[in-house]
Amino acid sequence: LHEMAYIYVTRGDLDGAMKLYQQSLEIKEGLGDLKGKSATLHEMAYIYVTRGDLDGAMKLYQQALQIDEGLGDLQGKSATLANMGIVLFRNGQYGEALKSFVNALVVQERMGARLDAQSVANLLVQFRQALGAEKFDALWGQEIGQPIPGWLAQTDLTPAPSPEGEGKREQPGMTAEQFIAGAIQSAREKRPEAEGYFKEAQRLAADSSAPKEVQELGRVLQRIMLGDKNVDLSGLREEWREMVKKAIHEYDHE
């Protein structure tokens, strides 16, 4: 049911996906499968975010976080904290968002999860860019109470325009390497954020106005995320081909 619901999400049938996730959740609760319950709560929260119900999403993420902490599941906890940070940021709760991101980063560094830590570090960079240095740095001092790391303090602060309307700033996109690494790892580990990566790969592949090499990257990442072990990389530009190989290698040896 869980995997079927994921397919419904990739097809855009959020109502159908939610029904299956709810059935899956009931079964897992009956079995006492807490880890599985947390994973399903993550997926349901993603649908709430997609629909714009940020409060509903936060309630589910908070339930998942309680389960992760009770199980001592550091990987699940870090993923939940990162997702909560994104929702809190979108809700304008910047202090709580910052603490969630920093806590997620601390857990990931403790685990030695380099790729995950890199992704959250990128979110912090984007956070600082969105707020502006002065406001972000003051918020950091207030909420974290420690000096800002050098790698964060030296980031480019050119704001990106937001598609959501005037007066808002959108976080800029990831680098190609971060996107490729995030897409491959999240799919291999069946993480909640895999759906977002998959949708973006679909969008790239279907965008007739995008360069052919970008469309090909989208097609390649879709196939990798669907479990294809023998994807032809010859159509990618050399640097992207090496990034894909590197991401696969790092995941397999992490």
Side-chain angles (χ1 to χ4, degrees):
L1 288 169
H2 190 96
E3 299 299 328
M4 288 169 65
Y6 176 77
I7 294 174
Y8 273 58
V9 171
T10 62
R11 291 175 174 174
D13 184 356
L14 300 184
D15 289 337
M18 186 61 83
K19 289 178 182 178
L20 293 179
Y21 281 137
Q22 288 171 337
Q23 292 178 47
S24 175
L25 186 65
E26 290 174 3
I27 293 172
K28 288 169 180 173
E29 288 177 334
L31 293 172
D33 179 4
L34 294 179
K35 190 174 181 65
K37 179 180 178 179
S38 176
T40 299
L41 287 169
H42 260 269
E43 304 293 357
M44 294 171 71
Y46 172 81
I47 292 177
Y48 275 61
V49 171
T50 302
R51 289 174 167 171
D53 184 355
L54 301 183
D55 291 337
M58 276 301 299
K59 289 178 182 178
L60 296 183
Y61 281 136
Q62 288 166 345
Q63 291 179 48
L65 183 63
Q66 289 179 346
I67 293 172
D68 296 334
E69 291 178 335
L71 294 173
D73 180 1
L74 294 181
Q75 188 175 67
K77 179 179 178 179
S78 65
T80 302
L81 286 168
N83 285 328
M84 289 174 69
I86 293 171
V87 173
L88 289 164
F89 179 88
R90 293 184 182 179
N91 237 355
Q93 297 171 263
Y94 298 136
E96 293 302 312
L98 180 60
K99 287 188 287 187
S100 283
F101 286 137
V102 171
N103 287 337
L105 185 62
V106 168
V107 173
Q108 288 158 356
E109 290 178 337
R110 186 185 307 158
M111 293 168 55
R114 193 182 67 79
L115 289 176
D116 291 336
Q118 181 181 15
S119 294
V120 175
N122 185 61
L123 288 172
L124 284 168
V125 169
Q126 295 167 357
F127 194 163
R128 188 170 188 259
Q129 182 180 37
L131 288 188
E134 184 176 352
K135 185 174 181 180
F136 179 91
D137 294 356
L139 184 67
W140 181 282
Q142 175 184 324
E143 300 294 343
I144 308 304
Q146 297 179 4
I148 296 178
W151 57 265
L152 182 56
Q154 297 171 10
T155 55
D156 177 22
L157 294 175
T158 303
S162 170
E164 299 177 4
E166 293 294 328
K168 295 183 180 179
R169 294 176 181 175
E170 182 190 30
Q171 297 175 6
M174 293 182 177
T175 64
E177 183 173 15
Q178 289 167 335
F179 180 73
I180 289 169
I184 292 173
Q185 186 174 32
S186 65
R188 293 286 185 87
E189 297 181 354
K190 299 185 183 298
R191 296 190 171 193
E193 57 266 33
E195 295 173 4
Y197 280 112
F198 190 84
K199 283 187 175 181
E200 180 61 17
Q202 279 184 317
R203 187 191 67 78
L204 294 176
D207 187 356
S208 59
S209 65
K212 294 295 183 183
E213 58 191 10
V214 173
Q215 295 179 48
E216 180 62 17
L217 177 62
R219 285 190 287 268
V220 165
L221 288 177
Q222 282 184 87
R223 293 183 61 184
I224 292 174
M225 295 182 77
L226 289 172
D228 190 337
K229 303 291 186 181
N230 298 298
V231 180
D232 181 8
L233 306 180
S234 62
L236 297 178
R237 64 165 69 171
E238 183 176 356
E239 61 182 294
W240 288 353
R241 185 164 58 246
E242 293 306 312
M243 287 177 187
V244 169
K245 291 178 180 178
K246 177 184 176 183
I248 293 174
H249 175 80
E250 290 188 353
Y251 171 82
D252 290 342
H253 290 80
E254 194 168 87

